Amino acid sequence: MRLYTQLLFVLAAGFWRGARAHDHHGANMNFDAGEPIGAVLKLHILLMAVAFGVLFPVGLVLGLRKNKWHVPVQSAGGVLAIVGFVLGHAHGGRAFKDNAHSKFSWFMLWLLAAQLGAGIYLKLHTERRFNDVVRPYIRVAHKGMAIAMVVATYVQMLLGVVAWLGYCYDGYLGQCLAHLIMGSSFLAYGVWLLLLVRLASPWLSSFGRSPELYDSAMIMVWGLFNTFTEHGFIEKAHGWSHKDLQHTSLGVIWFCGGLLSTYMLRRAGPRQRSLFPSIILVFTGCAMAAHEQSSEFSTRVHFVFGLSLVLAGLTRCVEIMLLTTGLISADSKEPNPFQYIPVFFLCHSGVAFMAANAESVAAIANMGIDIGTFSLGYLSVSFLLFFYAYFMMQLYAELGARSDKDMALPTASDGMVYQTVGQQDAEVSAVADSIPAHGDSHVLFDANDDDDDDSEYGNGGHDAQTLGFGASARHARASRGSRPSDDIELGSLHTN
């Protein structure tokens, strides 16, 4: 632990010197998107992708499952992240304009430092004085920061791509943010449904609400936000364009449809479903497919996005109908393969909408790439993102299954299953409860019937001859406390 702390200090000092000497992110720098990226910047991208895209999410899953590899994986990710941060502020080659990626990196740094610091504190197992009170809150904060790190990583990587391509400048900020935020929302909706299909459906059902209630509430809130932010919210608007009108009307539809569905499901149970969220997706997709653009290529890109959204809504309707009619079991441990189809189309529609922003469409069109090749390109990205999300959830499920298997009782080579003390006590108690209290010649003695035994000995009856050593056994029984499970079945001991 001391070596690890020293290494963190050394890396932090190197980062500070590199950051102070760095001047490649500024508004006055000459920016050229065609200038090649240097080796240092490539190494920065690689290290950050491995640390934040692989090690930290895997470490989060390991931590949730209390796996022994959680600390080593998180530690390795922290070292790579700090080295990558230093390289990102010390590279040569291409210079970048003042961008959100470089500014957001400071938030990522402090979040990483807080998370690692909380992890080190928990690893020390300090519970003296006030620590026994603080420790539970630190544990919750550590887990919350790990989950927030996953979301922040997605945002930072998206901002990194934007900075690399040089987008969202010179009047394009508003439409760029609209495409990135809305596309990310569809992608997040798909990941949420994948989480429900793969892992969280029983947990969500425990709240006693319909799954579509949460979808409807989210659609209603997002529609309200979209209604008042599509015209003049980011940049000063000069009149209402057809794009502003269509985007705002979509927000109104989402709010009204979400309000209707939320009210209908306000008292619905987990078995009651609704098709209205899916219908809202279908109408949104139809509107986007018919969305007129400034170029034919851009119109076709929006048509593919709208088609994906329509397919997501229709397949979601079919899935809900199959679930409500019992053709697909909602209680099955393994989801039906069809349930992944609407999830994938939602993820694909999100990627397609992010790729449909004006600058990327214009760049692709100038390169001479047709709509088919472009669609297959971001379709591949959709498959990769779906694989990434599914892999993390599958890893969580398999680690849980392996943990349950490790807790199973060992079996001997002859087929005998060993039992715990608690299981043995339970079986003995069950046998004792099945034994009659009186009149059974197979019961050696009953600790709750001392008076009857004494009278039998005093009368010199048959039981006095049968239980010649009953007094000493009863005395030993009383010295360790009587329990019903201590009644022992030995058989009759008759004397001639």
Side-chain angles (χ1 to χ4, degrees), residues 148-172:
M149 181 68 73
V150 176
V151 180
T153 296
Y154 169 79
V155 174
Q156 180 68 342
M157 288 186 174
L158 198 62
L159 295 176
V161 174
V162 171
W164 181 22
L165 298 175
Y167 290 169
C168 304
Y169 291 101
D170 303 328
Y172 288 100

PDB file of all heavy atoms in Angstrom, residues 148-172:
ATOM      1  N   ALA A 148     -20.925   6.693 -11.550  1.00  0.00           N
ATOM      2  CA  ALA A 148     -20.848   7.982 -12.243  1.00  0.00           C
ATOM      3  C   ALA A 148     -19.663   8.032 -13.200  1.00  0.00           C
ATOM      4  O   ALA A 148     -19.727   8.698 -14.241  1.00  0.00           O
ATOM      5  CB  ALA A 148     -20.739   9.120 -11.216  1.00  0.00           C
ATOM      6  N   MET A 149     -18.591   7.304 -12.862  1.00  0.00           N
ATOM      7  CA  MET A 149     -17.420   7.271 -13.729  1.00  0.00           C
ATOM      8  C   MET A 149     -17.743   6.649 -15.078  1.00  0.00           C
ATOM      9  O   MET A 149     -17.197   7.063 -16.115  1.00  0.00           O
ATOM     10  CB  MET A 149     -16.293   6.501 -13.046  1.00  0.00           C
ATOM     11  CG  MET A 149     -14.994   6.416 -13.835  1.00  0.00           C
ATOM     12  SD  MET A 149     -14.165   8.009 -13.983  1.00  0.00           S
ATOM     13  CE  MET A 149     -13.542   8.207 -12.319  1.00  0.00           C
ATOM     14  N   VAL A 150     -18.624   5.670 -15.116  1.00  0.00           N
ATOM     15  CA  VAL A 150     -18.999   5.042 -16.383  1.00  0.00           C
ATOM     16  C   VAL A 150     -19.703   6.051 -17.286  1.00  0.00           C
ATOM     17  O   VAL A 150     -19.402   6.164 -18.485  1.00  0.00           O
ATOM     18  CB  VAL A 150     -19.890   3.814 -16.121  1.00  0.00           C
ATOM     19  CG1 VAL A 150     -20.374   3.208 -17.429  1.00  0.00           C
ATOM     20  CG2 VAL A 150     -19.133   2.770 -15.302  1.00  0.00           C
ATOM     21  N   VAL A 151     -20.652   6.807 -16.728  1.00  0.00           N
ATOM     22  CA  VAL A 151     -21.365   7.821 -17.502  1.00  0.00           C
ATOM     23  C   VAL A 151     -20.413   8.935 -17.939  1.00  0.00           C
ATOM     24  O   VAL A 151     -20.436   9.376 -19.099  1.00  0.00           O
ATOM     25  CB  VAL A 151     -22.539   8.388 -16.691  1.00  0.00           C
ATOM     26  CG1 VAL A 151     -23.295   9.446 -17.496  1.00  0.00           C
ATOM     27  CG2 VAL A 151     -23.480   7.280 -16.263  1.00  0.00           C
ATOM     28  N   ALA A 152     -19.570   9.386 -17.012  1.00  0.00           N
ATOM     29  CA  ALA A 152     -18.616  10.451 -17.348  1.00  0.00           C
ATOM     30  C   ALA A 152     -17.626   9.989 -18.408  1.00  0.00           C
ATOM     31  O   ALA A 152     -17.188  10.781 -19.250  1.00  0.00           O
ATOM     32  CB  ALA A 152     -17.876  10.894 -16.088  1.00  0.00           C
ATOM     33  N   THR A 153     -17.263   8.716 -18.392  1.00  0.00           N
ATOM     34  CA  THR A 153     -16.345   8.185 -19.404  1.00  0.00           C
ATOM     35  C   THR A 153     -16.972   8.260 -20.783  1.00  0.00           C
ATOM     36  O   THR A 153     -16.303   8.635 -21.763  1.00  0.00           O
ATOM     37  CB  THR A 153     -15.985   6.737 -19.065  1.00  0.00           C
ATOM     38  OG1 THR A 153     -15.262   6.713 -17.828  1.00  0.00           O
ATOM     39  CG2 THR A 153     -15.130   6.119 -20.155  1.00  0.00           C
ATOM     40  N   TYR A 154     -18.249   7.893 -20.885  1.00  0.00           N
ATOM     41  CA  TYR A 154     -18.928   7.990 -22.178  1.00  0.00           C
ATOM     42  C   TYR A 154     -18.935   9.431 -22.677  1.00  0.00           C
ATOM     43  O   TYR A 154     -18.646   9.710 -23.856  1.00  0.00           O
ATOM     44  CB  TYR A 154     -20.357   7.460 -22.051  1.00  0.00           C
ATOM     45  CG  TYR A 154     -21.216   7.762 -23.257  1.00  0.00           C
ATOM     46  CD1 TYR A 154     -21.105   7.001 -24.411  1.00  0.00           C
ATOM     47  CD2 TYR A 154     -22.128   8.816 -23.226  1.00  0.00           C
ATOM     48  CE1 TYR A 154     -21.881   7.287 -25.527  1.00  0.00           C
ATOM     49  CE2 TYR A 154     -22.911   9.109 -24.333  1.00  0.00           C
ATOM     50  CZ  TYR A 154     -22.787   8.344 -25.480  1.00  0.00           C
ATOM     51  OH  TYR A 154     -23.554   8.638 -26.573  1.00  0.00           O
ATOM     52  N   VAL A 155     -19.269  10.379 -21.791  1.00  0.00           N
ATOM     53  CA  VAL A 155     -19.312  11.785 -22.182  1.00  0.00           C
ATOM     54  C   VAL A 155     -17.932  12.258 -22.618  1.00  0.00           C
ATOM     55  O   VAL A 155     -17.786  12.942 -23.652  1.00  0.00           O
ATOM     56  CB  VAL A 155     -19.842  12.639 -21.017  1.00  0.00           C
ATOM     57  CG1 VAL A 155     -19.761  14.127 -21.361  1.00  0.00           C
ATOM     58  CG2 VAL A 155     -21.273  12.256 -20.681  1.00  0.00           C
ATOM     59  N   GLN A 156     -16.894  11.891 -21.885  1.00  0.00           N
ATOM     60  CA  GLN A 156     -15.542  12.346 -22.203  1.00  0.00           C
ATOM     61  C   GLN A 156     -15.048  11.763 -23.523  1.00  0.00           C
ATOM     62  O   GLN A 156     -14.388  12.457 -24.308  1.00  0.00           O
ATOM     63  CB  GLN A 156     -14.590  11.981 -21.059  1.00  0.00           C
ATOM     64  CG  GLN A 156     -13.143  12.392 -21.269  1.00  0.00           C
ATOM     65  CD  GLN A 156     -12.938  13.901 -21.243  1.00  0.00           C
ATOM     66  OE1 GLN A 156     -13.878  14.681 -21.387  1.00  0.00           O
ATOM     67  NE2 GLN A 156     -11.691  14.318 -21.071  1.00  0.00           N
ATOM     68  N   MET A 157     -15.347  10.508 -23.774  1.00  0.00           N
ATOM     69  CA  MET A 157     -14.943   9.913 -25.052  1.00  0.00           C
ATOM     70  C   MET A 157     -15.680  10.550 -26.216  1.00  0.00           C
ATOM     71  O   MET A 157     -15.106  10.766 -27.287  1.00  0.00           O
ATOM     72  CB  MET A 157     -15.191   8.405 -25.023  1.00  0.00           C
ATOM     73  CG  MET A 157     -14.219   7.642 -24.140  1.00  0.00           C
ATOM     74  SD  MET A 157     -14.435   5.852 -24.277  1.00  0.00           S
ATOM     75  CE  MET A 157     -13.053   5.282 -23.287  1.00  0.00           C
ATOM     76  N   LEU A 158     -16.955  10.868 -26.017  1.00  0.00           N
ATOM     77  CA  LEU A 158     -17.718  11.544 -27.061  1.00  0.00           C
ATOM     78  C   LEU A 158     -17.148  12.929 -27.331  1.00  0.00           C
ATOM     79  O   LEU A 158     -16.990  13.342 -28.500  1.00  0.00           O
ATOM     80  CB  LEU A 158     -19.181  11.638 -26.634  1.00  0.00           C
ATOM     81  CG  LEU A 158     -20.205  11.928 -27.724  1.00  0.00           C
ATOM     82  CD1 LEU A 158     -20.223  10.815 -28.760  1.00  0.00           C
ATOM     83  CD2 LEU A 158     -21.596  12.090 -27.112  1.00  0.00           C
ATOM     84  N   LEU A 159     -16.806  13.642 -26.278  1.00  0.00           N
ATOM     85  CA  LEU A 159     -16.180  14.961 -26.445  1.00  0.00           C
ATOM     86  C   LEU A 159     -14.802  14.842 -27.091  1.00  0.00           C
ATOM     87  O   LEU A 159     -14.390  15.740 -27.841  1.00  0.00           O
ATOM     88  CB  LEU A 159     -16.066  15.660 -25.089  1.00  0.00           C
ATOM     89  CG  LEU A 159     -17.389  16.033 -24.404  1.00  0.00           C
ATOM     90  CD1 LEU A 159     -17.125  16.626 -23.023  1.00  0.00           C
ATOM     91  CD2 LEU A 159     -18.190  17.004 -25.265  1.00  0.00           C
ATOM     92  N   GLY A 160     -14.092  13.749 -26.807  1.00  0.00           N
ATOM     93  CA  GLY A 160     -12.796  13.541 -27.444  1.00  0.00           C
ATOM     94  C   GLY A 160     -12.917  13.349 -28.946  1.00  0.00           C
ATOM     95  O   GLY A 160     -12.113  13.880 -29.719  1.00  0.00           O
ATOM     96  N   VAL A 161     -13.922  12.595 -29.385  1.00  0.00           N
ATOM     97  CA  VAL A 161     -14.155  12.423 -30.824  1.00  0.00           C
ATOM     98  C   VAL A 161     -14.513  13.746 -31.473  1.00  0.00           C
ATOM     99  O   VAL A 161     -14.036  14.078 -32.580  1.00  0.00           O
ATOM    100  CB  VAL A 161     -15.261  11.372 -31.050  1.00  0.00           C
ATOM    101  CG1 VAL A 161     -15.623  11.289 -32.529  1.00  0.00           C
ATOM    102  CG2 VAL A 161     -14.813  10.008 -30.542  1.00  0.00           C
ATOM    103  N   VAL A 162     -15.346  14.546 -30.802  1.00  0.00           N
ATOM    104  CA  VAL A 162     -15.728  15.854 -31.331  1.00  0.00           C
ATOM    105  C   VAL A 162     -14.511  16.760 -31.459  1.00  0.00           C
ATOM    106  O   VAL A 162     -14.327  17.463 -32.472  1.00  0.00           O
ATOM    107  CB  VAL A 162     -16.803  16.492 -30.424  1.00  0.00           C
ATOM    108  CG1 VAL A 162     -17.058  17.945 -30.829  1.00  0.00           C
ATOM    109  CG2 VAL A 162     -18.091  15.695 -30.492  1.00  0.00           C
ATOM    110  N   ALA A 163     -13.625  16.761 -30.437  1.00  0.00           N
ATOM    111  CA  ALA A 163     -12.416  17.580 -30.503  1.00  0.00           C
ATOM    112  C   ALA A 163     -11.472  17.095 -31.599  1.00  0.00           C
ATOM    113  O   ALA A 163     -10.832  17.900 -32.287  1.00  0.00           O
ATOM    114  CB  ALA A 163     -11.711  17.554 -29.146  1.00  0.00           C
ATOM    115  N   TRP A 164     -11.367  15.788 -31.763  1.00  0.00           N
ATOM    116  CA  TRP A 164     -10.495  15.218 -32.789  1.00  0.00           C
ATOM    117  C   TRP A 164     -10.968  15.623 -34.195  1.00  0.00           C
ATOM    118  O   TRP A 164     -10.171  16.003 -35.059  1.00  0.00           O
ATOM    119  CB  TRP A 164     -10.471  13.699 -32.636  1.00  0.00           C
ATOM    120  CG  TRP A 164      -9.596  12.986 -33.621  1.00  0.00           C
ATOM    121  CD1 TRP A 164      -8.551  13.516 -34.320  1.00  0.00           C
ATOM    122  CD2 TRP A 164      -9.689  11.613 -34.008  1.00  0.00           C
ATOM    123  NE1 TRP A 164      -7.978  12.561 -35.125  1.00  0.00           N
ATOM    124  CE2 TRP A 164      -8.664  11.382 -34.948  1.00  0.00           C
ATOM    125  CE3 TRP A 164     -10.533  10.568 -33.646  1.00  0.00           C
ATOM    126  CZ2 TRP A 164      -8.468  10.139 -35.536  1.00  0.00           C
ATOM    127  CZ3 TRP A 164     -10.329   9.329 -34.229  1.00  0.00           C
ATOM    128  CH2 TRP A 164      -9.310   9.117 -35.158  1.00  0.00           C
ATOM    129  N   LEU A 165     -12.298  15.562 -34.407  1.00  0.00           N
ATOM    130  CA  LEU A 165     -12.842  15.906 -35.725  1.00  0.00           C
ATOM    131  C   LEU A 165     -12.980  17.411 -35.934  1.00  0.00           C
ATOM    132  O   LEU A 165     -13.143  17.863 -37.073  1.00  0.00           O
ATOM    133  CB  LEU A 165     -14.206  15.237 -35.907  1.00  0.00           C
ATOM    134  CG  LEU A 165     -14.194  13.704 -35.884  1.00  0.00           C
ATOM    135  CD1 LEU A 165     -15.617  13.165 -35.955  1.00  0.00           C
ATOM    136  CD2 LEU A 165     -13.359  13.150 -37.043  1.00  0.00           C
ATOM    137  N   GLY A 166     -12.955  18.173 -34.849  1.00  0.00           N
ATOM    138  CA  GLY A 166     -13.071  19.623 -34.976  1.00  0.00           C
ATOM    139  C   GLY A 166     -14.489  20.097 -35.221  1.00  0.00           C
ATOM    140  O   GLY A 166     -14.706  21.128 -35.866  1.00  0.00           O
ATOM    141  N   TYR A 167     -15.484  19.391 -34.688  1.00  0.00           N
ATOM    142  CA  TYR A 167     -16.886  19.730 -34.912  1.00  0.00           C
ATOM    143  C   TYR A 167     -17.396  20.670 -33.834  1.00  0.00           C
ATOM    144  O   TYR A 167     -16.717  20.954 -32.837  1.00  0.00           O
ATOM    145  CB  TYR A 167     -17.753  18.469 -34.937  1.00  0.00           C
ATOM    146  CG  TYR A 167     -17.549  17.596 -36.156  1.00  0.00           C
ATOM    147  CD1 TYR A 167     -18.085  16.312 -36.213  1.00  0.00           C
ATOM    148  CD2 TYR A 167     -16.829  18.047 -37.258  1.00  0.00           C
ATOM    149  CE1 TYR A 167     -17.915  15.506 -37.329  1.00  0.00           C
ATOM    150  CE2 TYR A 167     -16.645  17.253 -38.382  1.00  0.00           C
ATOM    151  CZ  TYR A 167     -17.186  15.978 -38.401  1.00  0.00           C
ATOM    152  OH  TYR A 167     -17.008  15.181 -39.506  1.00  0.00           O
ATOM    153  N   CYS A 168     -18.625  21.150 -34.054  1.00  0.00           N
ATOM    154  CA  CYS A 168     -19.386  21.952 -33.085  1.00  0.00           C
ATOM    155  C   CYS A 168     -18.801  23.340 -32.868  1.00  0.00           C
ATOM    156  O   CYS A 168     -18.953  23.920 -31.781  1.00  0.00           O
ATOM    157  CB  CYS A 168     -19.522  21.221 -31.751  1.00  0.00           C
ATOM    158  SG  CYS A 168     -20.274  19.593 -31.878  1.00  0.00           S
ATOM    159  N   TYR A 169     -18.140  23.904 -33.867  1.00  0.00           N
ATOM    160  CA  TYR A 169     -17.660  25.284 -33.803  1.00  0.00           C
ATOM    161  C   TYR A 169     -18.401  26.117 -34.853  1.00  0.00           C
ATOM    162  O   TYR A 169     -19.078  25.590 -35.739  1.00  0.00           O
ATOM    163  CB  TYR A 169     -16.153  25.349 -34.085  1.00  0.00           C
ATOM    164  CG  TYR A 169     -15.284  24.739 -33.005  1.00  0.00           C
ATOM    165  CD1 TYR A 169     -14.747  23.477 -33.167  1.00  0.00           C
ATOM    166  CD2 TYR A 169     -15.005  25.435 -31.832  1.00  0.00           C
ATOM    167  CE1 TYR A 169     -13.941  22.909 -32.191  1.00  0.00           C
ATOM    168  CE2 TYR A 169     -14.204  24.882 -30.849  1.00  0.00           C
ATOM    169  CZ  TYR A 169     -13.677  23.620 -31.035  1.00  0.00           C
ATOM    170  OH  TYR A 169     -12.885  23.066 -30.055  1.00  0.00           O
ATOM    171  N   ASP A 170     -18.237  27.455 -34.734  1.00  0.00           N
ATOM    172  CA  ASP A 170     -18.669  28.394 -35.775  1.00  0.00           C
ATOM    173  C   ASP A 170     -20.152  28.230 -36.134  1.00  0.00           C
ATOM    174  O   ASP A 170     -20.532  27.991 -37.293  1.00  0.00           O
ATOM    175  CB  ASP A 170     -17.820  28.231 -37.054  1.00  0.00           C
ATOM    176  CG  ASP A 170     -16.342  28.421 -36.786  1.00  0.00           C
ATOM    177  OD1 ASP A 170     -16.013  29.221 -35.877  1.00  0.00           O
ATOM    178  OD2 ASP A 170     -15.527  27.761 -37.461  1.00  0.00           O
ATOM    179  N   GLY A 171     -21.013  28.342 -35.148  1.00  0.00           N
ATOM    180  CA  GLY A 171     -22.443  28.315 -35.407  1.00  0.00           C
ATOM    181  C   GLY A 171     -23.068  26.947 -35.465  1.00  0.00           C
ATOM    182  O   GLY A 171     -24.288  26.833 -35.667  1.00  0.00           O
ATOM    183  N   TYR A 172     -22.284  25.884 -35.317  1.00  0.00           N
ATOM    184  CA  TYR A 172     -22.816  24.531 -35.355  1.00  0.00           C
ATOM    185  C   TYR A 172     -23.072  23.952 -33.957  1.00  0.00           C
ATOM    186  O   TYR A 172     -23.437  22.789 -33.848  1.00  0.00           O
ATOM    187  CB  TYR A 172     -21.852  23.591 -36.092  1.00  0.00           C
ATOM    188  CG  TYR A 172     -21.797  23.810 -37.585  1.00  0.00           C
ATOM    189  CD1 TYR A 172     -20.767  24.546 -38.156  1.00  0.00           C
ATOM    190  CD2 TYR A 172     -22.780  23.297 -38.416  1.00  0.00           C
ATOM    191  CE1 TYR A 172     -20.709  24.754 -39.526  1.00  0.00           C
ATOM    192  CE2 TYR A 172     -22.741  23.488 -39.785  1.00  0.00           C
ATOM    193  CZ  TYR A 172     -21.695  24.222 -40.333  1.00  0.00           C
ATOM    194  OH  TYR A 172     -21.653  24.427 -41.697  1.00  0.00           O
TER     195      TYR A 172
END
